[in-house]
Amino acid sequence: MASDAETLAELGEFAVIERLVAGRRQPDAVAVGPGDDAAVLYAPDGRMVVSTDMLVAGRHFRLDWSTPNEVGRKSIAQNAADIEAMGARPTAFVVAFGAPSDTPAEQVLQLADGMWQEAGSMGAGIAGGDLVSAPQWVISVTVLGDLGGREPVRRSGANPGDVVAVAGEIGRSAAGYAVWRNGIDGFDELRMRHVAPQPLYGQGRVAADNGATAMTDVSDGLLADLGHIAEASGVGIDLSTAALAADRDALAGVAEVLGADAWAWVLGGGEDHALVATFPDTPPPGWRVIGRAHDNAQGVSVDGAVWQGNTGWQSFD
């Protein structure tokens, strides 16, 4: 445990790294973890699924809203969801972290604890990484996953007539963000869903094993992410507000307090990291139908009409 007075500069890079990795137990997928020039992972499938993502303080998280532990959990969860969306199992993460030299070392240890907590919840580990000086907190995470003999579920496989189904809840993170941004008291569960999303680990493999034709996670917004599937697959997708009513109703109370439209969070909010997929017939348990793919036109509609509101996150807005 680092003293609150000890900073990254005072401890030095290698002492901090030693504390970050001390006592951590690697999963079976990691043959060689931190301590050498590179990690070594087992790839029993013969293929490796890889994704990477970056979080920047002030853009993707705020330390006056989130604890370092929550930031660590979020950084792992959002990367793991990408592997789940391919029908694979996350096995290991590699993390690069930059922060000012006067950052308390204890905060970095809490960040690492959150990462290990989230990785451990899916049977994965932190296999290595890097630590550098930077003018603000920057976290870059690379995740590796195992397909377990499955074919990857890509965005391009949806067919006309497929049902569209979701595993998880939609709109909670966006509603939580609105609560934080407006300084509203209460709604603690929604606050938490924004700072530490809760993907349903394992449902990506369930979907793949049950014939999912296309899949993605809801990171930028339901309409935006389904738009990627529609474009890649050359199909149209129509969503049903009746099928999404439970998500809207769950947010009605906070929407009333804020004078907001809960549908904007459900359809255009992101960072829930729920999974959305297309299936040729009834989806497996844990998934609920919210729409259907068709061949009339490309793009995503809602109850047969073009949605006039915000459709999702744009990185450079």
Side-chain angles (χ1 to χ4, degrees):
M1 183 69 67
S3 165
D4 289 343
E6 292 179 306
T7 67
L8 296 180
E10 290 167 341
L11 282 177
E13 176 185 1
F14 295 107
V16 173
I17 292 174
E18 183 177 351
R19 295 191 186 189
L20 291 176
V21 303
R24 308 291 188 182
R25 182 177 180 180
Q26 294 288 351
D28 293 340
V30 179
V32 177
D36 285 271
D37 289 323
V40 179
L41 304 180
Y42 293 106
D45 179 86
R47 300 166 296 175
M48 189 68 73
V49 187
V50 181
S51 183
T52 191
D53 210 349
M54 183 177 290
L55 294 86
V56 178
R59 180 63 171 172
H60 303 103
F61 64 89
R62 289 176 49 165
L63 288 171
D64 57 335
W65 292 359
S66 305
T67 66
N69 182 283
E70 290 163 351
V71 175
R73 289 177 55 195
K74 180 175 184 175
S75 67
I76 294 299
Q78 69 179 48
N79 279 270
D82 288 332
I83 300 300
E84 289 278 343
M86 299 296 289
R89 176 178 65 88
T91 56
F93 298 82
V94 178
V95 179
F97 175 65
S101 59
D102 62 355
T103 298
E106 178 58 28
Q107 290 188 356
V108 183
L109 295 177
Q110 293 172 9
L111 175 77
D113 285 343
M115 290 180 172
W116 274 96
Q117 176 186 344
E118 196 70 23
S121 71
M122 66 194 81
I126 313 297
D130 192 21
L131 179 65
V132 299
S133 177
Q136 66 194 86
W137 279 34
V138 179
I139 307 165
S140 180
V141 177
T142 298
V143 56
L144 302 105
D146 177 30
L147 283 163
R150 305 173 186 84
E151 288 304 309
V153 183
R154 303 180 63 183
R155 295 175 176 174
S156 55
N159 299 301
D162 284 355
V163 298
V164 179
V166 66
E169 297 171 329
I170 306 295
R172 273 61 168 184
S173 177
Y177 172 76
V179 171
W180 281 109
R181 182 167 53 88
N182 287 280
I184 304 299
D185 292 333
F187 302 105
D188 291 343
E189 182 180 355
L190 293 178
R191 290 172 180 272
M192 179 58 67
R193 293 291 289 274
H194 176 68
V195 300
Q198 300 173 10
L200 297 180
Y201 300 126
Q203 284 298 330
R205 282 160 281 161
V206 169
D209 290 340
N210 284 271
T213 53
M215 184 160 50
T216 189
D217 74 306
V218 183
S219 55
D220 295 329
L222 183 60
L223 291 175
D225 292 311
L226 278 174
H228 298 316
I229 287 180
E231 181 178 5
S233 298
V235 300
I237 291 175
D238 187 49
L239 296 177
S240 164
T241 54
L244 290 163
D247 293 292
R248 185 267 176 197
D249 292 348
L251 305 176
V254 66
E256 182 177 359
V257 170
L258 292 173
D261 180 4
W263 283 118
W265 299 328
V266 173
L267 297 171
E271 293 196 323
D272 287 297
H273 300 292
L275 296 178
V276 62
T278 55
F279 296 88
D281 46 35
T282 304
W287 291 75
R288 55 192 169 102
V289 174
I290 59 171
R292 186 173 293 273
H294 57 79
D295 59 3
N296 294 336
Q298 294 186 16
V300 184
S301 57
V302 180
D303 293 336
V306 175
W307 174 250
Q308 298 299 322
N310 175 47
T311 60
W313 166 268
Q314 297 291 331
S315 292
F316 293 100
D317 280 356

